[in-house]
Each structure stands twice: as C-alpha cells, then as structure tokens.
Amino acid sequence: MTIESRFDNVMSRVLRQIAALPLHFAPDGSLEVYLVTSRGSGRWIIPKGNPIKGLTSEEVAAREAFEEAGLVGRMLDGCVGTFEFERSGEVCLVEVYPMHVDKQLRRYDEKRQRKVQRCDLQTACTIVCSSALASLIQASFEQYHSQRLAMVS
C-alpha cells in the first residue's frame, strides 16, 4: 500500500463537524462559556453537529447552539481553531466558531436530552471531555477577554 493510498484511507475515516463556542459576558465583566452534555455519554462538550448543505459554518454553529442549548446570539469573527476526538473508531475534526450569547431560551429542541451549564474558564477547562477542547477554550477566553478590556479602556 502506498503512502498516498494510506493517507486517502485515513482521511476517508475523518468526519468533519462544526461547533459553537458560546461565550457570555457576565454583569461583573467576567467571561463565561456555555457547555452541554453529549446525548450518549453525558460528557461535557460544546454544541456541535455535522455540516448542513446550503448553510455556512457559522450558521450551522449557531443552529447547533440553538437546538442543543436554546442559545441565541451573534456569531463572532471566524473559526477560532479545531480539535479532534475519536468516536466509534472514526476521527472527528471539529471546527469551532465563537458565539456571543445574548440569551438562553426556556424551551428548545433538545432540552430533555441534555444538561446545559454556564461556567467560568477554570470550571469549563476542568469538566470538558477533551484536553484539546480545554486548550481551545483557554485560548479563546484569553483572546476575547483581551478584546473586551480594549473596548472598555
């Protein structure tokens, strides 16, 4: 088997997903993130799903945040990074798009299937299921907290 055919074989097992990183500025100015539980294992993750034909990545991310956690807000500037995880022998590559959350609805599609938690950086990085996701959340917090301080100054 050639290197190219092995690469093609591996790449055919990589699933692409799109996620929202729902961020919220608390009244005291601190930055918080919304996490949801996965339906299967109950592990803490961010809202994510598969690409949807006809929708941009940002639109898919916003839709996932709405369906999984009832979050409404505006998408921020572009992809903040990616992380990978393995599920059933397949690698999932997740593109993450930041979202500024304005509100959380009381009723939403997956309310009975998931828990939602708004938490600070330390808590979020401790409870998420992946160290790669924790690192991405940490980097995003630093970026958006710095931008917020620059806006206030």
Side-chain angles (χ1 to χ4, degrees):
M1 182 179 278
T2 68
I3 291 174
E4 291 81 10
S5 62
R6 272 196 265 156
F7 178 77
D8 289 340
N9 189 31
V10 168
M11 290 307 291
S12 67
R13 288 181 274 150
V14 173
L15 300 175
R16 177 177 173 241
Q17 291 198 305
I18 298 168
L21 179 60
L23 302 169
H24 173 77
F25 284 100
D28 68 0
S30 63
L31 190 57
E32 300 171 318
V33 64
Y34 284 87
L35 300 175
V36 299
T37 55
S38 64
R39 284 190 287 195
S41 66
R43 293 181 298 173
W44 290 103
I45 59 173
I46 55 177
K48 64 180 177 54
N50 297 320
I52 300 171
K53 189 172 184 160
L55 296 181
T56 67
S57 295
E58 289 87 350
E59 290 169 334
V60 171
R63 183 176 185 161
E64 294 300 327
F66 179 78
E67 291 176 356
E68 294 181 11
L71 302 176
V72 177
R74 61 181 162 37
M75 299 308 294
L76 302 174
D77 52 350
C79 182
V80 292
T82 61
F83 71 97
E84 292 180 8
F85 70 96
E86 191 172 322
R87 179 177 60 199
S88 304
E90 295 182 307
V91 174
C92 294
L93 177 63
V94 184
E95 299 170 13
V96 180
Y97 295 84
M99 175 185 193
H100 179 268
V101 176
D102 294 321
K103 65 181 177 180
Q104 182 182 25
L105 303 177
R106 291 182 186 203
R107 295 183 190 170
Y108 49 93
D109 293 352
E110 298 180 17
K111 183 173 180 129
R112 295 180 190 262
Q113 301 169 27
R114 300 176 187 273
K115 293 178 185 173
V116 179
Q117 180 174 337
R118 189 171 89 188
C119 49
D120 62 26
L121 172 64
Q122 183 177 356
T123 303
C125 289
T126 301
I127 67 173
V128 293
C129 64
S130 156
S131 60
L133 176 55
S135 296
L136 194 142
I137 291 170
Q138 171 82 41
S140 295
F141 258 70
E142 291 169 5
Q143 175 186 352
Y144 287 102
H145 186 67
S146 297
Q147 286 179 3
R148 175 75 169 202
L149 290 176
M151 289 170 56
V152 172
S153 301

